[in-house]
Amino acid sequence: MTRLDNDIPHIPQVENSLEAFSLPNTHQFLLPSKARQQPYRIFVYTPAQEAPPQGFPVLYLLDANALFGTIVEAVRVQARRPEKTGVYPAIIVGIGYPTDEPFDDSRYYDFTMPTSDEVLKALPVRNKDHVWPKVGGAEDFRDFIEQALKPRIERDYPVDRNRQGIFGHSLGGLFVLQTLLTMPDSFQFYVAGSPSIHWNKELVRQQEAQFAALQQHARKRIHLLITLGELEDAHPSGMNGNAREFFERFSLLTSEELRVEYQEFEGEGHVSVLPALVSRMLRFVLGG
């Protein structure tokens, strides 16, 4: 039997458009820093709901070029039924760079403390001719967050200053831990994904020894979550071992004012672990 053209269902033509897709309730702006020539690219998501009297919790996110969209979509979907998901509406602030690439070499400077040539030479690399970008600007980056970014966000958005979190992965995870150890009042929730403790291992130990004294003067309860991918255990840096040891030492300090949790994700590596940890991280920071 021959099929006639008029037997074929009509398929509506979609107008070819070059308009870029954007996530609802998000926008971005550039924010200059005293310590660098280029500004930071700041991404912001705000919930559609009316803010509660105390404001929304806020999560500050490092490497936002790579992770902002993933985390915003997870919040948008899960915060619709917080009683089921454990994720409540929140403002998400991503700190990124003026590029469309997922990562920028500026992160090496922003996320690390000063690092000696001997330590850099001992770090695992893919080839022997590898040259590290400039490092050692973590204190400048913290100053930017505290003195430029937070005041801007708190001026323009209904933020609950008693529920502020920060999330970073890899070198960003190292930055999160060192911020906790040196400026524990900066945030109440700290999430360090696959922290690169091997970069500043000796300095981290020194900062740990000083943390107990700082914690005694902390004004708010502190929550710390450390996550790893199971397959990262094979990394030559000893990433999982370093993180486990840090968790075990830090757990000895656990009190009413300090909550510490640790989780490894089965079957996940250093990059694939990122989507896997998002829901766990959001429940930790944005739970009721």
Side-chain angles (χ1 to χ4, degrees), residues 15-286:
E15 182 180 352
N16 184 21
S17 173
L18 297 179
E19 183 179 353
F21 170 77
S22 62
L23 293 172
N25 301 323
T26 65
H27 69 279
Q28 57 184 306
F29 58 90
L30 298 178
L31 189 61
S33 166
K34 297 178 181 178
R36 52 180 271 137
Q37 293 182 340
Q38 284 191 316
Y40 289 97
R41 183 181 181 186
I42 306 302
F43 304 76
V44 182
Y45 163 76
T46 53
Q49 300 94 324
E50 183 178 352
Q54 72 274 20
F56 287 114
V58 58
L59 172 63
Y60 289 86
L61 164 68
L62 309 184
D63 284 324
N65 298 66
L67 299 172
F68 182 75
T70 301
I71 291 177
V72 166
E73 284 293 74
V75 172
R76 288 182 64 227
V77 172
Q78 296 187 45
R80 294 174 68 248
R81 296 293 302 276
E83 74 281 2
K84 299 289 187 181
T85 64
V87 175
Y88 285 76
I91 294 170
I92 308 298
V93 179
I95 310 171
Y97 303 95
T99 174
D100 287 332
E101 294 299 315
F103 298 101
D104 186 270
D105 280 352
S106 298
R107 68 192 298 273
Y108 288 95
Y109 180 76
D110 287 337
F111 300 163
T112 61
M113 296 292 285
T115 308
S116 68
D117 290 340
E118 289 74 19
V119 171
L120 287 175
K121 289 176 183 177
L123 294 173
V125 293
R126 293 191 182 95
N127 64 76
K128 61 182 179 62
D129 297 321
H130 179 83
V131 177
W132 291 107
K134 186 178 179 181
V135 301
E139 291 188 356
D140 288 337
F141 187 50
R142 280 191 200 95
D143 287 344
F144 165 77
I145 293 173
E146 293 296 324
Q147 299 175 18
L149 180 57
K150 278 189 178 182
R152 172 71 178 268
I153 297 300
E154 292 166 3
R155 183 196 74 186
D156 294 347
Y157 304 95
V159 168
D160 181 353
R161 298 186 185 184
N162 293 315
R163 290 188 63 85
Q164 300 187 83
I166 184 170
F167 166 60
H169 174 259
S170 194
L171 283 178
L174 171 65
F175 178 85
V176 167
L177 289 182
Q178 295 197 296
T179 300
L180 166 63
L181 294 174
T182 59
M183 298 176 61
D185 276 335
S186 297
F187 302 90
Q188 292 77 55
F189 295 86
Y190 294 82
V191 181
S194 307
S196 299
I197 294 173
H198 56 283
W199 271 75
N200 291 132
K201 191 171 182 178
E202 294 305 316
L203 179 57
V204 168
R205 291 300 301 269
Q206 295 172 22
Q207 292 168 337
E208 281 183 61
Q210 300 165 5
F211 173 78
L214 291 174
Q215 187 198 3
Q216 291 177 0
H217 303 287
R219 296 187 296 271
K220 299 180 180 71
R221 191 180 185 201
I222 295 169
H223 310 254
L224 169 64
L225 172 64
I226 301 173
T227 69
L228 278 298
E230 175 194 29
L231 303 182
E232 295 183 84
D233 216 9
H235 196 277
S237 67
M239 184 167 289
N240 292 40
N242 289 334
R244 289 191 204 104
E245 291 172 7
F246 181 94
F247 168 73
E248 290 167 0
R249 292 192 304 269
F250 222 65
S251 294
L252 299 176
L253 302 176
T254 300
S255 66
E256 288 296 320
E257 301 304 319
L258 178 64
R259 166 191 172 201
V260 186
E261 296 185 15
Y262 177 92
Q263 183 168 352
E264 289 191 15
F265 292 89
E266 182 180 0
E268 303 296 349
H270 190 63
V271 177
S272 69
V273 75
L274 287 167
L277 71 83
V278 168
S279 289
R280 179 70 187 86
M281 180 266 293
L282 293 178
R283 289 195 303 272
F284 184 82
V285 178
L286 306 180

